[in-house]
Amino acid sequence: MVTTKAKVFITYAIPDKGINMLKEKFDVDVYDGEEFLTKEQMLERARYADAIITQLRDPIDKEFIESLESVKIIANYAVGYNNIDVEAATRKGIYVTHTPGVLTEATADIAFALMLAVARRIVEADKFVREGKFVGWKPKLFLGYDLYGKTLGIIGMGRIGQAVARRALGFGMKIIYYNRRRLPEDIEKQYNAQYMDLDVLIETADYISIHTPLTKETYHLITAERIARMKPNAILINTARGPVIDEKALYEALKERKIAGAGFDVYENEPQLTPGLEKLDNVVLLPHIGSATYETRDKMSEMVAINVIHALEGRIPPNLVPEQKTIFVRE
């Protein structure tokens, strides 16, 4: 008797480790083009699949989900999953999974790399040398800001926020933080971290690093009013989600030099930038590479493969998004 293998559709090629795991068990359809598929093109290939592996940029909305015929799981190749209508998927009994935890150290590294790059004007200085303008050491050439002894304000003190705090300790920084819930005292002591109201943190910190998820509550958490309350020497880093910041308001503050600088790995209307942002020399702009290490991306591909394998073999995937854990997980 011939049995048909379950079909897995991957909307954009991921590292081979996960793909090879899936190919051992299933019929795998990988889109390997350079241009992203449109929503309609994705749906054409996903409609009759048993599982879909999606990217953060894929618009998996209610309309898309309701058009699916046989999908059992949507496995997002990312920690975030605001691209997926989880409520619509849950109504259809479709698992939604993500890749939590694995990105922590790589993303914390990028946050700190941005902090250093902006403070010490690394990108500007590199360009200066490449253009043949360096003629010798000068006392005021590319003056920047110290990290040592400065105050780092962390907004969102979860796994990544705490990983950034560990790095900051090595730089002799004072750590203050804001979180939806205050951390237990023993964890605060571990990082010598002081809890503050968000507005007090905004006014106090020399460096501000954002590590919150994107929710209704965190959309434009950093408003024009809060940007106006930052120190003139403040440097703002965002490796979380672009819409957490009112990017247009931040651009205006950066353009007018009302704050010292900013580092971006994510953008409010990604991949589009607020017009003019790319022309500023007090910002560093990265193309959403927080998790872009060989080790991390391999682990992410392994995690999505395991989630898919569990779902298609009749088991509950290990990395359900939080909204589904109380629904699908039974004690």
Side-chain angles (χ1 to χ4, degrees):
M1 176 178 163
V2 177
T3 57
T4 303
K5 286 185 176 181
K7 180 180 177 182
V8 179
F9 171 51
I10 304 177
T11 65
Y12 199 88
I14 64 175
D16 290 342
K17 186 171 186 179
I19 293 175
N20 291 337
M21 290 170 64
L22 293 167
K23 283 183 174 179
E24 290 179 3
K25 295 174 175 284
F26 312 119
D27 177 12
V28 181
D29 172 20
V30 184
Y31 171 68
D32 58 4
E34 283 300 317
E35 298 295 325
F36 294 116
L37 293 173
T38 65
K39 178 180 170 182
E40 292 71 26
Q41 290 170 329
M42 278 196 300
L43 183 56
E44 185 178 342
R45 296 170 73 156
R47 190 186 305 274
Y48 302 107
D50 297 282
I52 314 171
I53 294 176
T54 53
Q55 316 296 317
L56 193 58
R57 67 162 305 283
D58 295 334
I60 311 300
D61 57 16
K62 179 181 177 182
E63 178 188 23
F64 187 101
I65 289 167
E66 289 181 348
S67 299
L68 299 175
E69 298 287 339
S70 53
V71 169
K72 299 176 180 64
I73 178 172
I74 301 168
N76 220 34
Y77 183 75
V79 172
Y81 51 92
N82 50 286
N83 60 308
I84 300 172
D85 188 329
V86 176
E87 186 177 341
T90 304
R91 282 198 301 268
K92 286 200 73 168
I94 299 173
Y95 294 129
V96 178
T97 63
H98 61 150
T99 59
V102 68
L103 316 180
T104 300
E105 301 302 331
T107 304
D109 282 347
I110 278 289
F112 231 88
L114 280 169
M115 213 179 301
L116 285 164
V118 177
R120 298 303 303 272
R121 302 172 65 182
I122 298 299
V123 175
E124 285 182 85
D126 176 86
K127 182 180 178 183
F128 182 83
V129 174
R130 290 175 188 272
E131 291 176 347
K133 296 178 180 178
F134 178 52
V135 296
W137 183 89
K138 294 180 180 179
K140 295 184 179 180
L141 185 63
F142 287 106
L143 294 178
Y145 295 94
D146 284 333
L147 269 66
Y148 177 78
K150 297 296 180 69
T151 298
L152 170 62
I154 298 175
I155 300 174
M157 196 68 159
R159 281 188 291 241
I160 297 174
Q162 290 180 40
V164 171
R166 287 198 300 274
R167 287 154 176 77
L169 288 174
F171 278 77
M173 302 183 83
K174 177 184 177 182
I175 299 165
I176 60 178
Y177 78 97
Y178 169 78
N179 205 50
R180 185 175 55 179
R181 298 185 184 89
R182 184 168 180 173
L183 297 176
E185 186 178 350
D186 61 326
I187 297 179
E188 288 186 341
K189 286 182 177 179
Q190 182 180 343
Y191 303 110
N192 196 23
Q194 181 182 357
Y195 177 80
M196 285 189 177
D197 175 80
L198 177 58
D199 289 316
V200 178
L201 179 149
I202 290 287
E203 295 172 348
T204 305
D206 301 299
Y207 296 85
I208 299 170
S209 191
I210 300 174
H211 302 286
T212 66
L214 178 61
T215 65
K216 291 178 181 178
E217 292 73 28
T218 63
Y219 175 79
H220 279 195
L221 184 69
I222 307 302
T223 59
E225 292 76 16
R226 284 182 168 140
I227 293 167
R229 296 169 72 172
M230 293 178 185
K231 291 181 174 182
N233 67 323
I235 290 174
L236 179 62
I237 305 298
N238 189 11
T239 57
R241 290 289 175 264
V244 172
I245 298 175
D246 182 339
E247 194 171 283
K248 185 176 180 181
L250 179 57
Y251 164 72
E252 293 296 334
L254 290 163
K255 183 178 69 172
E256 300 298 328
R257 302 282 172 165
K258 292 180 178 178
I259 65 171
F264 299 78
D265 189 41
V266 291
Y267 305 91
E268 184 169 358
N269 298 299
E270 194 168 318
Q272 283 76 37
L273 305 182
T274 294
L277 193 62
E278 76 285 355
K279 297 177 182 178
L280 300 180
D281 59 12
N282 57 340
V283 302
V284 175
L285 307 171
L286 299 181
H288 203 149
I289 57 171
S291 64
T293 66
Y294 290 107
E295 297 87 348
T296 299
R297 293 285 173 86
D298 275 352
K299 183 62 178 176
M300 288 171 67
S301 73
E302 181 182 4
M303 288 177 75
V304 294
I306 289 171
N307 284 325
V308 168
I309 290 168
H310 273 65
L312 297 188
E313 291 183 346
R315 292 173 285 163
I316 295 173
N319 299 119
L320 286 174
V321 297
E323 294 91 330
Q324 289 194 340
K325 286 182 179 179
T326 57
I327 297 170
F328 290 118
V329 177
R330 298 287 182 264
E331 295 295 335

